[in-house]
Amino acid sequence: MNYDNFPAEPFRIKAVETVKMNTRDERAQIIRDAGYNTFLINSEDVYIDLLTDSGTNAMSDRQWAGIMMGDEAYAGSRNFFHLQETVQELFGFKHIVPTHQGRGAENLLSQIHIKPGQYVPGNMYFTTTRYHQERNGGIFVDVIRDEAHDAQLNVPFKGDIDLAKLQRLIDEHGAENIAYICLAVTVNMAGGQPVSMKNMREVHKLARQYGIDIFFDATRCVENAFFIKEQEKGYADKTIAEIVHEMFSYADGCTMSGKKDCLVNIGGFLCMNDDELFEQAKELVVAYEGMPSYGGMAGRDMEAMAIGLRESMQFDYIRHRVLQVRYLGENLKQAGIPIIEPVGGHAVFLDARRFCPHLNQEQFPAQSLAANLYLESGVRSMERGIVSAGRDPKTGENHYPKLETVRLTIPRRVYTYRHMDVVAEAVVNLFRKRDQIRGLRFVYEPKQLRFFTARFEEI
Ligand SMILES: *Cc1c(COP(=O)(O)O)cnc(C)c1O
């Protein structure tokens, strides 16, 4: 693999965490005990952990210094003012309400901005976002462009909203029956696919015409900004901060999970420009999160987040972040491994259908692939396929999603290129003997969100 296109780590390592390296025999016992579910493996028994990039970020020396500057007063903590100033400057929104993590912000926004029966169009969905929208009587409608649903179609900005779909929804139901437009940058469930600035501008123009608000799911906004700088005409010479600022100029507010692009381990916030909405959010946050000046975070958490958000805008950081993910993808592609294309901002997805053509979807190919990857290498990944999709609550039938994938999610600033090589080698080795990967069947199937706690055995 050629390193030329991939920048070396723009940091040096100041603290290390030793990881255990189990033998294959030990891992065989561990994965059996875990019921072939990688969620049920203890972190201690994992060599390279690619389960998620949520809350798994490595903080910088400056962020750790910020932790020591936590002002843990119940009200009016100075760290809140630092976070507020930082978000106002970088995102350009007028108001910020801190929350314990992203879903806390989604809960508040859904409660104050959805009337039962209203539609909430979005570019695909995210699990917790959709949950809160529907819980508050909203009807989610997917208005992402069709290409996003095609795993093998390698086109840029697969996360864009299809304006014709949005227009049709407005024509059909009337603007007054649309709560707001929810625009995610990047689209996690589509594989971390970005949204173009052009699309944001056009969606904003259309929404303004009808007086509809737009809220961004800003969780991966910095990764999205990198793709715009790299691939959209007219942005090559702009800074990441300038791009992020322009992105948010097309929104009325946003929800944010600090556990991703803010480079911290916990936290989140809600932003808006509207004064009336802000008053409502402040009234609610007290009931669900805490005072409007901490919202479920410690003072030190807010300080680390303010510092992390600024660090995330550094070009060298975000370039390395996105290209390291792409490096793993390119490595696998060159070896003939079937992956979802193009590689997005935070993860590489293995296509389990093409990896294990000898298994049908009811034998849980992606679940088994994830279990076997752990067995072979100690690398932990996650199933995103039929197990995650669950059953139809009315008929009890399995959902059969088009995408049957294993997600290799890269934590920020945690692993090196050499770790990526190890992951790629493990996947390639497994691919060579893929016909030995056996199907699975349930021995325990929980009713809700079954992927977290289900247990399986080999057929
Ligand atoms: C993680 C995530 C959320 C939810 O944030 P939490 O901090 O986990 O509550 C919402 N949207 C997207 C796109 C996410 O990736």
Side-chain angles (χ1 to χ4, degrees):
M1 187 69 195
N2 181 359
Y3 283 87
D4 289 354
N5 300 327
F6 301 99
E9 280 68 29
F11 50 78
R12 56 185 174 188
I13 295 164
K14 186 169 281 193
V16 295
E17 181 181 357
T18 303
V19 288
K20 198 159 89 182
M21 297 169 92
N22 289 311
T23 63
R24 192 179 190 285
D25 283 346
E26 286 166 338
R27 290 195 298 269
Q29 185 63 43
I30 290 163
I31 193 66
R32 224 177 299 125
D33 291 347
Y36 297 88
N37 185 347
T38 52
F39 278 98
L40 300 180
I41 301 170
N42 291 340
S43 158
E44 239 188 20
D45 291 318
V46 175
Y47 172 45
I48 298 177
D49 203 347
L50 307 186
L51 189 70
T52 174
D53 67 334
S54 178
T56 53
N57 301 312
M59 293 207 295
S60 68
D61 52 352
R62 284 166 186 273
Q63 286 177 290
W64 281 108
I67 290 275
M68 285 306 294
M69 295 192 289
D71 170 1
E72 307 306 341
Y74 191 82
S77 159
R78 69 169 170 258
N79 309 119
F80 169 69
F81 297 115
H82 185 201
L83 177 63
Q84 186 181 42
E85 276 164 27
T86 306
V87 173
Q88 284 170 338
E89 179 199 321
L90 295 175
F91 287 15
F93 293 120
K94 198 167 163 196
H95 303 296
I96 165 175
V97 180
T99 58
H100 74 286
Q101 58 185 85
R103 67 199 67 184
E106 292 166 354
N107 175 32
L108 300 181
L109 178 65
S110 301
Q111 287 203 39
I112 61 181
H113 211 310
I114 299 176
K115 291 196 205 87
Q118 280 187 323
Y119 293 85
V120 192
N123 49 347
M124 219 174 253
Y125 72 99
F126 185 74
T127 51
T128 58
T129 318
R130 182 174 178 171
Y131 174 84
H132 283 294
Q133 290 166 357
E134 292 179 342
R135 207 178 113 94
N136 286 283
I139 303 162
F140 166 80
V141 184
D142 186 4
V143 291
I144 202 167
R145 59 193 284 207
D146 287 336
E147 290 89 336
H149 294 282
D150 186 339
Q152 279 172 267
L153 200 62
N154 192 341
V155 295
F157 301 112
K158 259 170 121 175
D160 281 359
I161 281 184
D162 183 332
L163 287 151
K165 286 186 190 173
L166 186 57
Q167 181 73 58
R168 222 174 301 133
L169 189 77
I170 298 170
D171 292 344
E172 216 169 293
H173 300 287
E176 69 282 6
N177 289 314
I178 300 201
Y180 56 88
I181 297 163
C182 178
L183 200 157
V185 288
T186 63
V187 186
N188 187 350
M189 298 304 266
Q193 304 297 336
V195 178
S196 65
M197 194 73 89
K198 177 168 178 284
N199 191 246
M200 293 179 217
R201 203 177 296 128
E202 288 171 350
V203 170
H204 179 254
K205 192 164 161 237
L206 185 66
R208 275 293 168 275
Q209 203 181 315
Y210 290 95
I212 301 170
D213 281 354
I214 307 175
F215 280 83
F216 281 13
D217 180 339
T219 300
R220 292 190 172 77
C221 62
V222 186
E223 289 165 7
N224 200 101
F226 177 80
F227 284 107
I228 289 176
K229 184 175 169 71
E230 182 187 51
Q231 295 174 22
E232 190 163 351
K233 209 167 142 248
Y235 288 92
D237 296 329
K238 297 230 187 295
T239 65
I240 296 294
E242 285 168 341
I243 295 171
V244 167
H245 206 272
E246 184 184 340
M247 284 165 58
F248 289 124
S249 73
Y250 302 122
D252 297 287
C254 73
T255 55
M256 182 72 170
S257 167
K259 302 178 72 170
K260 285 76 171 229
D261 272 0
C262 292
L263 293 172
V264 288
N265 306 116
I266 193 73
F269 54 82
L270 171 65
C271 289
M272 68 274 283
N273 289 327
D274 187 81
D275 298 334
E276 172 66 26
L277 268 186
F278 178 53
E279 287 308 318
Q280 292 175 28
K282 273 200 299 190
E283 279 177 28
L284 266 190
V285 76
V286 188
Y288 288 94
E289 308 277 327
M291 284 282 286
S293 62
Y294 72 83
M297 281 188 279
R300 54 179 172 268
D301 295 339
M302 293 189 282
E303 189 61 28
M305 187 185 280
I307 298 168
L309 197 54
R310 203 172 283 283
E311 285 179 1
S312 76
M313 308 269 164
Q314 292 166 0
F315 177 66
D316 288 341
Y317 153 73
I318 191 63
R319 179 176 62 154
H320 171 266
R321 174 357 177 221
V322 175
L323 294 190
Q324 189 188 39
V325 176
R326 190 176 302 163
Y327 173 82
L328 175 60
E330 287 294 322
N331 227 329
L332 292 171
K333 234 169 74 176
Q334 281 189 14
I337 308 293
I339 62 168
I340 309 271
E341 293 189 71
V343 173
H346 68 293
V348 176
F349 290 71
L350 305 177
D351 185 345
R353 286 180 190 276
R354 284 184 284 154
F355 203 110
C356 305
H358 59 293
L359 300 179
N360 68 46
Q361 202 172 15
E362 277 164 341
Q363 294 170 316
F364 310 126
Q367 185 76 30
S368 189
L369 179 50
N372 276 277
L373 182 60
Y374 172 76
L375 169 66
E376 286 302 318
S377 61
V379 173
R380 171 154 71 172
S381 57
M382 180 197 290
E383 192 256 17
R384 275 290 178 239
I386 185 170
V387 178
S388 298
R391 290 180 187 274
D392 186 307
K394 286 203 188 84
T395 65
E397 267 300 300
N398 278 317
H399 290 300
Y400 292 91
K402 239 172 112 177
L403 295 181
E404 178 72 21
T405 63
V406 169
R407 192 179 80 180
L408 303 164
T409 334
I410 316 302
R412 295 170 186 76
R413 303 196 292 207
V414 173
Y415 294 116
T416 64
Y417 282 96
R418 185 67 191 118
H419 285 113
M420 297 302 108
D421 290 341
V422 171
V423 173
E425 282 159 24
V427 174
V428 171
N429 284 337
L430 188 58
F431 191 65
R432 289 209 186 96
K433 47 182 178 181
R434 59 191 182 280
D435 53 327
Q436 291 168 28
I437 296 175
R438 290 158 68 184
L440 300 174
R441 64 175 154 244
F442 276 115
V443 289
Y444 164 64
E445 182 186 351
K447 287 205 172 57
Q448 305 289 337
L449 297 171
R450 63 185 183 181
F451 57 96
F452 282 126
T453 53
R455 306 182 70 87
F456 303 84
E457 63 185 7
E458 288 190 308
I459 296 171

